Amino acid sequence: MTYATIHRALGELVDAGILRKTKNHKEKIVCLTADQHLTYVELSEARRRRH
């Protein structure tokens, strides 16, 4: 897999709202997080187990 392919895939995940960019004070991306998406997955899994 090339760097360009990985970069494009990460960009698509950001656009889809699955990943979130965290930037430093210079507006440089320092990390990507998926906390919100993982919370939704956990909630949907919990709902499925209850029903």
Side-chain angles (χ1 to χ4, degrees):
M1 195 174 281
T2 66
Y3 179 78
T5 303
I6 294 168
H7 183 71
R8 187 170 36 255
L10 289 173
E12 289 176 11
L13 291 171
V14 169
D15 292 343
I18 294 170
L19 292 179
R20 183 175 56 96
K21 296 177 187 177
T22 301
K23 297 180 180 181
N24 66 10
H25 65 283
K26 294 181 181 180
E27 292 298 308
K28 181 178 179 183
I29 298 170
V30 291
C31 72
L32 295 165
T33 58
D35 298 338
Q36 192 67 32
H37 177 69
L38 294 175
T39 300
Y40 292 142
V41 169
E42 181 61 33
L43 286 173
S44 65
E45 288 293 321
R47 282 189 203 125
R48 235 191 330 225
R49 282 186 236 133
R50 283 191 310 204
H51 297 295

